[in-house]
Amino acid sequence: MNDEPIEDLRYLKLLSKRYPSIQKASAEIINLSAILELPKGTEHFVSDIHGEYEAFSHVLRNGSGSIKRRIEEVFQYTLGEQEKKNLATLIYYPDKKLPIILKDVDNPKEWYRKTLFQMIKLCRVYSSKYTRSKVRKALPKDFDYIIEELLHEQESTKNRQQYYSSIISTIIETDRAGAFIKALAYLIQRLTISRLHVIGDVYDRGPGAHVIMDELMDYHAVDFQWGNHDIVWMGAAAGSEACIANVIRVSLRYANMETVENGYAISMLPLVSLAVDVYGDDPCDIFRPKEVEDEFTEQEQLMMARMQKAISVMQFKLEGQIIKRRPQFQMKDRLLLDKINHENGTITIKGKTYPMKDTNFPTIDPDDPYKLSPEEESVMERLSLSFKNSERLQKHVRFLFAKGSMYLVKNNNLLYHGCIPMKPNGVLKHFTFGKDGYGPKDFMDRLDRLSRQGYFANDDLKKKQYGMDTMWYLWTGSQSPLFGKDKMATFERYFIADEATHMENMNPYYDYRTDVGVASQILQEFGVDPEKGHILNGHVPVKVKKGESPVKAKGKLLVIDGGFAKAYQDKTGIAGYTLIYNSWGLLLAAHQPFQSTEMAIEEEIDIHSQTRILEQRMNRIRIADTDTGDEIRSEIEDLKALLKAYRSGAIKEA
């Protein structure tokens, strides 16, 4: 031990502060070795939530049907179908469901007693997968001691029956049964899922992205793989004017200003003033918001159209500025404002001239088309300040940076939102920056670092600007792993009638991701064993109604975007896929559209989900078989080295 390198000895001395004796180090080795034999925790994978708060919250509460399946297993022969529904709904929504149930109960004390027994039984099943220490940390503080006693009491043991029964009776007699049931319900929800993985796109389309982010910040264990709709909001929060313009334009296009205005308290008054002053006489027909129902008056829709036109023109100018200062983005083909012939109302793209559907551009200077007018500059400056000063938005975006990344490798699964850029022949694309070459993994690592730089590098404005421009590129760039198309044809869809110009070609990845060999190459690139690993992907909704399957490359690649957002459900035919990876294998859940929280509570109409077993193990997966197991084994080796140091005299016990 005396010959051990000084670096190792220094580390062991630091470790000895935590385990200051042979006894404590030995006890921890025993504890960690036992943990390795526990079943792996259940992982829950979701993607492309797109602001649909109610449906997402329900899926989160029911663990994609995990709780319902467990109730069926535990109470298969002791509860009727209606009783099982009641219990499930009570666990999902204890605060709202409990008073509804009690209205129709003749003997509340007896109902409390029966329900408490049922929920404690469920808690015992879930807690058996965890150490007592981990369960203890999850317990609600008001009832931690009592719940711990009940979880580890065996009421069937003759000399403990009275003790157990007395606890339940006292909870009821002291009028704490309702609060206790709520505490148990939330504990069951928490113990059902060990970790939640969000594979991109919390934002846009639906009205509740900010509410979803609040809920995720309170979740016990979560990670993100950023989506293109997330990164544009992250860029906006950093202060990227091009990202801000895109965020506002998309919100106006779908008449969804809830997150911007009410969620993040960002005032649209500067944009309203500009829209009235500059486009007050413009009908803005092509900018009418999409998917508008009866909640908006004609005047409100007209105002949103004018605001959308104002911010769209600003967006095209700001994007042009980025393209000009970043030639490495290779996006010169997206410089379109200088291709407009203002005299005859046409635009020439790739040698072909098209008539334009709208030719009223009072703020565009033909001699300098990408320069903001003084009025536009003033508006953008005020909007930028609002985004940067929104406390709630900044809190959410910091959380996305802290818990998120471009991709994640976890337990032989590779998670990413969009694609791995490929050449037309299916070869993984490599990139060169300066003298350095980047494979797909290195490229994504670089983009991850630059995005963080765009948000955090406030002491170096040059680096910050490059980072913010990179976040915009990730939203719309032709080689962006988050976007996955050759262009975002926003300008063409607005201004050119010829639909051939609207075409956005998907990256070749989407043609080749069904190929087992290509999936294996991708897994190898990211250090995952192709024989054991899976790719978990979102971004492009699976068109189930057209016969498309979410399972690709013979099960090596799984797409779990089935259309959470209502806007996609006509195309997909379902309302989202989610994935469960428990200690027995992989289960894919396909969800039907969610009616409403009220109907789920009052009428017990759960999301109808079809669960498909993708992989089932004969032997249960243990923590020893996971990444956590690798970390624990490493800790055990360190502790064994510490024991050796104690016993050799290299380090003294405290």
Side-chain angles (χ1 to χ4, degrees):
M1 191 69 193
N2 291 333
D3 296 328
E4 192 172 356
I6 190 68
E7 291 82 6
D8 290 346
L9 194 56
R10 288 180 63 192
Y11 168 71
L12 292 176
K13 284 180 178 178
L14 287 172
L15 190 62
S16 71
K17 295 182 183 297
R18 188 172 180 183
Y19 304 101
S21 67
I22 289 174
Q23 181 183 357
K24 292 200 172 182
S26 300
E28 185 63 9
I29 290 172
I30 295 167
N31 175 50
L32 291 173
S33 298
I35 289 172
L36 288 172
E37 299 308 314
L38 286 171
K40 80 171 283 295
T42 298
E43 297 173 77
H44 191 189
F45 302 83
V46 300
S47 176
D48 297 87
I49 306 160
H50 285 300
E52 296 293 345
Y53 167 69
E54 285 198 342
F56 170 72
S57 181
H58 189 80
V59 165
L60 204 61
R61 289 166 185 266
N62 76 2
S64 286
S66 296
I67 291 175
K68 185 189 288 184
R69 287 192 294 273
R70 186 67 73 187
I71 289 172
E72 184 62 38
E73 290 171 11
V74 175
F75 301 108
Q76 184 176 2
Y77 303 111
T78 56
L79 293 181
E81 289 305 313
Q82 188 57 49
E83 289 176 303
K84 285 184 273 191
K85 278 186 177 182
N86 278 344
L87 182 58
T89 309
L90 180 63
I91 292 169
Y92 306 157
Y93 301 100
D95 293 292
K96 295 181 179 178
K97 185 63 177 178
L98 186 58
I100 294 172
I101 292 174
L102 289 173
K103 282 181 185 177
D104 299 322
V105 170
D106 295 328
N107 188 341
K109 287 186 178 181
E110 184 55 34
W111 181 86
Y112 276 134
R113 178 179 293 276
K114 184 175 71 172
T115 304
L116 285 168
F117 275 112
Q118 292 166 355
M119 295 182 79
I120 290 162
K121 191 169 186 177
L122 276 176
C123 277
R124 283 182 182 162
V125 173
Y126 283 113
S127 64
S128 66
K129 292 179 66 173
Y130 302 95
T131 63
R132 283 198 182 192
S133 173
K134 191 158 188 175
V135 173
R136 193 177 297 123
K137 290 173 184 175
L139 297 177
K141 298 305 176 189
D142 289 350
F143 300 105
D144 52 357
Y145 172 76
I146 302 171
I147 293 176
E148 190 170 7
E149 284 289 290
L150 292 171
L151 288 181
H152 301 295
E153 274 302 323
Q154 295 299 318
E155 71 273 17
S156 59
T157 304
K158 189 173 182 180
N159 62 350
R160 304 292 285 182
Q161 286 177 346
Q162 195 60 40
Y163 175 70
Y164 184 88
S165 182
S166 176
I167 293 175
I168 299 294
S169 296
T170 306
I171 290 169
I172 296 169
E173 293 300 328
T174 56
D175 201 25
R176 295 293 285 160
F180 200 77
I181 282 173
K182 293 174 186 178
L184 288 172
Y186 290 121
L187 178 61
I188 290 168
Q189 288 184 32
R190 177 164 181 171
L191 295 178
T192 299
I193 302 299
S194 178
R195 173 166 286 272
L196 175 69
H197 304 280
V198 182
I199 310 180
D201 280 359
V202 168
Y203 284 89
D204 291 334
R205 304 307 288 260
H210 53 292
V211 185
I212 293 169
M213 288 302 302
D214 282 340
E215 187 157 356
L216 290 174
M217 286 189 73
D218 289 334
Y219 203 75
H220 57 276
V222 62
D223 55 65
F224 294 86
Q225 292 71 59
W226 304 325
N228 55 319
H229 287 271
D230 303 320
I231 203 73
V232 72
W233 276 87
M234 293 158 71
S240 165
E241 294 183 345
C243 288
I244 289 169
N246 272 282
V247 162
I248 295 173
R249 181 190 63 77
V250 171
S251 298
L252 286 165
R253 186 164 178 77
Y254 296 98
N256 175 24
M257 298 302 290
E258 177 68 21
T259 297
V260 175
E261 293 188 306
N262 297 332
Y264 293 135
I266 294 169
S267 173
M268 289 293 104
L269 282 177
L271 184 60
V272 170
S273 297
L274 178 69
V276 170
D277 291 344
V278 178
Y279 302 102
D281 296 326
D282 191 330
C284 294
D285 290 332
I286 64 175
F287 292 93
R288 289 293 181 121
K290 292 187 172 225
E291 299 162 19
V292 176
E293 297 179 1
D294 297 334
E295 68 265 33
F296 296 105
T297 66
E298 170 64 23
Q299 193 59 36
E300 286 171 332
Q301 292 182 49
L302 180 57
M303 177 53 69
M304 283 190 282
R306 288 169 176 163
M307 291 167 67
Q308 189 185 158
K309 181 173 183 179
I311 200 67
S312 297
V313 171
M314 293 164 69
Q315 174 190 317
F316 300 135
K317 290 182 178 183
L318 293 163
E319 290 178 336
Q321 293 173 18
I322 295 175
I323 293 166
K324 286 187 166 187
R325 69 172 169 259
R326 306 292 176 202
Q328 64 269 41
F329 288 175
Q330 300 179 6
M331 293 180 68
K332 281 187 178 180
D333 62 311
R334 303 309 300 151
L335 292 172
L336 299 175
L337 295 185
D338 57 320
K339 310 298 189 298
I340 298 173
N341 185 322
H342 291 270
E343 292 182 3
N344 58 20
T346 61
I347 185 169
T348 302
I349 302 174
K350 294 181 180 179
K352 188 171 181 180
T353 300
Y354 303 91
M356 296 189 68
K357 295 191 290 182
D358 186 330
T359 57
N360 182 33
F361 299 112
T363 68
I364 294 180
D365 178 357
D367 296 326
D368 193 359
Y370 299 103
K371 182 180 180 181
L372 295 180
S373 70
E375 295 80 9
E376 288 172 330
E377 280 187 355
S378 175
V379 169
M380 186 49 64
E381 184 178 337
R382 292 165 69 185
L383 289 173
S384 181
L385 282 172
S386 293
F387 272 82
K388 288 189 286 188
N389 291 330
S390 170
E391 186 176 341
R392 192 179 186 187
L393 174 61
Q394 295 300 325
K395 181 172 68 173
H396 288 169
V397 168
R398 284 194 298 271
F399 185 69
L400 282 170
F401 276 111
K403 300 292 183 181
S405 54
M406 288 288 295
Y407 67 90
L408 178 70
V409 175
K410 186 75 173 176
N411 296 332
N412 289 317
N413 292 317
L414 170 60
L415 288 59
Y416 54 81
H417 176 72
C419 71
I420 304 299
M422 288 185 178
K423 295 180 180 180
N425 61 358
V427 174
L428 303 185
K429 188 151 188 173
H430 286 62
F431 300 85
T432 302
F433 297 94
K435 296 180 180 178
D436 299 323
Y438 293 81
K441 179 181 181 298
D442 292 337
F443 180 53
M444 291 179 81
D445 288 339
R446 175 184 170 87
L447 294 171
D448 190 300
R449 178 180 59 78
L450 288 172
S451 298
R452 295 177 195 280
Q453 177 179 298
Y455 187 79
F456 292 106
N458 295 315
D459 57 341
D460 189 329
L461 296 182
K462 187 176 179 181
K463 283 187 175 181
K464 184 176 178 67
Q465 187 64 63
Y466 188 26
M468 290 193 296
D469 291 351
T470 299
M471 284 192 271
W472 170 80
Y473 179 85
L474 283 169
W475 159 246
T476 188
S478 63
Q479 297 302 322
S480 163
L482 304 187
F483 177 48
K485 298 179 183 179
D486 64 341
K487 67 179 180 182
M488 190 176 289
T490 306
F491 182 94
E492 291 90 334
R493 286 195 298 269
Y494 278 134
F495 295 112
I496 303 174
D498 189 337
E499 292 187 0
T501 65
H502 304 179
M503 182 67 66
E504 298 172 341
N505 297 307
M506 303 296 289
N507 189 277
Y509 166 86
Y510 293 99
D511 293 325
Y512 288 98
R513 68 178 178 175
T514 58
D515 186 279
V516 175
V518 169
S520 296
Q521 283 183 52
I522 294 172
L523 288 166
Q524 286 178 320
E525 169 69 19
F526 287 84
V528 182
D529 183 348
E531 296 302 315
K532 298 178 181 178
H534 304 86
I535 296 167
L536 305 182
N537 200 182
H539 188 50
V540 177
V542 178
K543 297 179 178 64
V544 178
K545 66 190 302 182
K546 292 186 177 180
E548 185 181 355
S549 170
V551 182
K552 303 182 185 298
K554 295 184 178 178
K556 287 190 183 297
L557 190 149
L558 307 171
V559 182
I560 59 168
D561 178 7
F564 250 114
K566 292 176 183 175
Y568 298 131
Q569 289 170 11
D570 286 343
K571 297 177 182 177
T572 63
I574 61 169
Y577 284 108
T578 55
L579 189 72
I580 292 292
Y581 182 27
N582 61 26
S583 58
W584 292 108
L586 288 167
L587 294 87
L588 184 71
H591 305 288
Q592 293 304 311
F594 182 60
Q595 300 298 321
S596 71
T597 301
E598 287 73 20
M599 291 180 72
I601 295 167
E602 294 175 10
E603 300 178 36
E604 296 176 334
I605 298 176
D606 204 344
I607 289 183
H608 179 67
S609 305
Q610 288 186 331
T611 304
R612 172 182 173 188
I613 298 173
L614 299 179
E615 286 186 6
Q616 188 165 14
R617 303 288 185 93
M618 296 299 293
N619 298 313
R620 204 168 193 185
I621 306 168
R622 306 285 173 181
I623 288 177
D625 306 315
T626 68
D627 293 347
T628 301
D630 292 338
E631 294 167 7
I632 289 174
R633 278 188 290 271
S634 179
E635 288 181 51
I636 289 172
E637 290 305 310
D638 290 343
L639 286 164
K640 286 180 178 178
L642 179 60
L643 281 180
K644 187 176 179 182
Y646 281 140
R647 287 168 177 158
S648 69
I651 297 176
K652 294 179 182 179
E653 290 185 274

